[in-house]
Amino acid sequence: MSQLQDYRLLTFDVYGTLVDWEGGILAALQTSLGRNSAQLSREHILHVFHELERDQQAKTPEMQYSDLLATIHPTLLQQLGLPTPTAEESKAFGESVGHWPAFPDTVDALKQLSKHYKLVVLSNVDRESFAKTNAGSLQGFPFDLIITAQDIGSYKPDINNFKYMLSAVKEKFGVEPGQVLQTAQSQFHDHHPARKVGIKSVWIVRPGAIMGNLDDTVYDWRLHQWLWRLRNLSTPLRLRGSLVRLRRFHESPLFALIRLLIPFPSWKFPVPDPVAPIDILGNVELEENKLEYLDDLRSIPLWRTRDTPMRSLYRMYEAMISGMYEALGPETEYFWYQRHWSLKGIRDPQDADPVRYAILACLVEELVVAFNWRLSLGLRRDRNHIMRETGKDSLPPYAPLSGPTWTSSVPAISPENLNRFPPEYVSDDSKLVLESDGLNKVFARRNIVTNVGWLYTI
């Protein structure tokens, strides 16, 4: 039997293999699902989508993929029991392809594979959609050749797509069919038709994948996610990917990575010296500077393991008092999926600043409410969400979370605490006004006027 190193060229079905096709579709449907409080199972949604997409591709093989998605969108929602979308909503669904996220191991693996193989795209999308993906979540990776369904005029599993690719790589690279490996997740779109034209294939098994599965699996090599990472020198620590992130803002990324491995002064990071409320109040520019590289840091496993719930809480405080409320959503989501972080286990910071202390206590109490709301909907911190088949099904049971006891003893902000604050942030009855139309009752109990909608985004 031939070995992987005997081949010269890998062809990738990008969506489902390199890009989280299913996650991207579900994310693009969240507006419709959330607006109508629909709790449909992931499996049901994806099965309905896959059948509609497959039938439409066979019916209109020349249709551009973004237009095809927009075309099936109204029928998809109808079959899911949801209201008919507007034309703008269907167009947005079709254009969502370019925003679908790459799997975490994708770009690092491509960089390693490119040292040994020509890498070719054989995708069912259109040129414009793929260009957006390549510039976005694939970080501009330079594939050797890109072939889309739009170039061919048909969609996989049509074997003409594979014949077109074989002809193209023969002409451009002098690669014979026996030197080509189809690398894909979908049995339906890739492995079965590749077998029909004599192409060997590598099955990339993405755990939990629904679409493209067939009972009769065919492949020459099978790589589970962990083996895919191992073959490409990747580990759960994602050291290479961490270096890529660190290069964005460190002159010596390797030194910065090594420092992340050194438990000094302790393994868990201490809370940085917090900014005084009066210094960061309404100071969006300061907050933007503080958050400039936070997304990169949160993507580094070593940094996440050394981060703490208290540090996250202080980041929420700074986002709120600076007026940069949009940073609360991602921070809440990050906290939620740090499943070993316990709200009840948050220790009393005993903060010396009464305004900051009051905001921190309110945040903890409101996070308890927000997290229980998520649990009531069936969301789970380990990502094993429980989805209802229809909106009429009963909500799943859950064990409510509770918060720490220290927050109950944190006093409200007094008028004296606000003496140095600008008048536009102090109401006539001596309350701290962070949002003039704020109605949240938890914060109101400590004389803070604000809303907390960003804690409830999903």
Side-chain angles (χ1 to χ4, degrees):
M1 182 178 179
S2 58
Q3 302 296 313
L4 288 173
Q5 57 265 32
D6 297 334
Y7 294 85
R8 292 180 55 194
L9 186 144
L10 305 182
T11 53
F12 285 96
D13 163 62
V14 173
Y15 299 87
T17 304
L18 305 179
V19 169
D20 188 358
W21 176 31
E22 297 183 353
I25 290 164
L26 292 171
L29 289 171
Q30 281 307 306
T31 300
S32 297
L33 295 171
R35 182 180 60 206
N36 296 282
S37 301
Q39 294 295 314
L40 301 162
S41 72
R42 176 176 180 270
E43 291 78 6
H44 179 62
I45 295 170
L46 294 175
H47 277 306
V48 173
F49 171 86
H50 181 51
E51 291 177 2
L52 291 173
E53 182 204 49
R54 178 196 62 200
D55 294 346
Q56 190 67 43
Q57 286 175 342
K59 181 180 178 181
T60 55
E62 75 291 342
M63 183 180 287
Q64 189 168 311
Y65 187 66
S66 58
D67 294 335
L68 187 142
L69 289 189
T71 298
I72 68 171
H73 186 236
T75 307
L76 173 62
L77 296 191
Q78 180 186 28
Q79 292 194 17
L80 294 176
L82 301 173
T84 303
T86 64
E88 290 76 17
E89 289 172 331
S90 293
K91 185 174 184 291
F93 180 70
E95 293 175 349
S96 69
V97 182
H99 304 292
W100 296 351
F103 288 107
D105 54 15
T106 289
V107 176
D108 287 346
L110 290 173
K111 289 177 179 177
Q112 289 300 308
L113 292 170
S114 66
K115 298 175 182 178
H116 310 285
Y117 305 96
K118 294 289 185 183
L119 304 185
V120 172
V121 168
L122 181 61
S123 176
N124 261 0
V125 304
D126 55 271
R127 290 189 291 268
E128 183 179 356
S129 294
F130 180 78
K132 291 178 180 177
T133 298
N134 203 25
S137 63
L138 292 181
Q139 302 176 22
F141 182 82
F143 289 95
D144 295 291
L145 179 63
I146 297 167
I147 304 172
T148 70
Q150 185 180 6
D151 300 312
I152 304 169
S154 60
Y155 286 97
K156 295 181 295 181
D158 192 318
I159 61 173
N160 286 329
N161 292 55
F162 295 88
K163 291 179 178 178
Y164 182 102
M165 175 272 294
L166 289 175
S167 176
V169 301
K170 169 71 173 176
E171 179 181 353
K172 185 173 179 64
F173 306 116
V175 173
E176 299 293 339
Q179 299 172 309
V180 174
L181 269 177
Q182 180 68 16
T183 310
Q185 176 271 326
S186 175
Q187 288 284 325
F188 171 76
H189 297 93
D190 294 277
H191 293 279
H192 278 254
R195 178 63 57 92
K196 290 179 181 178
V197 295
I199 301 174
K200 300 286 187 179
S201 66
V202 179
W203 186 20
I204 306 301
V205 181
R206 289 295 183 184
I210 301 297
M211 297 191 292
N213 293 337
L214 293 174
D215 293 335
D216 178 21
T217 57
V218 297
Y219 52 89
D220 296 283
W221 289 271
R222 173 176 175 168
L223 298 182
H224 285 277
Q225 188 169 354
W226 66 270
L227 187 56
W228 168 262
R229 288 176 174 171
L230 181 62
R231 284 183 179 273
N232 293 288
L233 304 179
S234 180
T235 71
L237 290 179
R238 294 177 57 204
L239 299 181
R240 184 177 290 105
S242 298
L243 280 172
V244 172
R245 293 284 183 174
L246 290 167
R247 285 193 190 103
R248 288 168 52 86
F249 53 97
H250 271 288
E251 292 184 359
S252 303
L254 182 59
F255 178 68
L257 183 63
I258 292 172
R259 288 185 62 187
L260 286 175
L261 288 163
I262 300 174
F264 177 82
S266 63
W267 178 248
K268 293 296 182 181
F269 289 133
V271 175
D273 291 337
V275 182
I278 195 66
D279 293 332
I280 198 171
L281 184 67
N283 195 337
V284 173
E285 183 178 359
L286 174 60
E287 181 64 4
E288 286 177 339
N289 290 335
K290 290 175 69 66
L291 299 179
E292 185 175 4
Y293 302 112
L294 182 59
D295 285 343
D296 289 296
L297 291 170
R298 285 194 294 225
S299 298
I300 298 173
L302 276 171
W303 187 88
R304 289 199 304 270
T305 61
R306 300 189 67 176
D307 197 20
T308 67
M310 185 64 74
R311 284 162 49 89
S312 180
L313 190 65
Y314 270 87
R315 291 195 292 267
M316 292 183 192
Y317 146 74
E318 291 178 351
M320 178 172 280
I321 199 165
S322 71
M324 196 173 172
Y325 273 69
E326 60 269 28
L328 285 173
E331 190 65 46
T332 304
E333 195 79 356
Y334 168 73
F335 195 120
W336 167 260
Y337 283 117
Q338 298 294 100
R339 57 181 179 173
H340 300 301
W341 285 6
S342 165
L343 290 172
K344 189 175 183 178
I346 295 179
R347 296 181 179 180
D348 186 350
Q350 299 181 353
D351 198 291
D353 189 291
V355 173
R356 191 166 55 219
Y357 198 21
I359 294 175
L360 292 170
C362 291
L363 278 168
V364 173
E365 292 172 354
E366 192 61 41
L367 282 172
V368 172
V369 180
F371 280 20
N372 281 325
W373 171 75
R374 288 176 177 230
L375 290 169
S376 74
L377 295 179
L379 300 177
R380 296 296 181 259
R381 298 184 72 180
D382 62 1
R383 298 182 187 271
N384 292 319
H385 306 310
I386 302 170
M387 307 298 282
R388 293 182 293 166
E389 292 292 336
T390 71
K392 296 181 180 179
D393 293 345
S394 59
L395 291 166
Y398 69 98
L401 301 178
S402 58
T405 58
W406 61 264
T407 61
S408 61
S409 62
V410 177
I413 296 173
S414 69
E416 293 75 21
N417 300 146
L418 303 175
N419 283 340
R420 296 177 55 225
F421 281 65
E424 61 268 28
Y425 288 96
V426 182
S427 67
D428 293 339
D429 52 352
S430 299
K431 294 180 179 179
L432 175 62
V433 181
L434 299 180
E435 288 188 305
S436 59
D437 58 348
L439 299 172
N440 182 262
K441 294 180 180 179
V442 170
F443 281 82
R445 288 198 295 268
R446 291 191 176 89
N447 295 331
I448 304 169
V449 180
T450 189
N451 291 309
V452 292
W454 285 103
L455 301 184
Y456 291 82
T457 57
I458 298 177

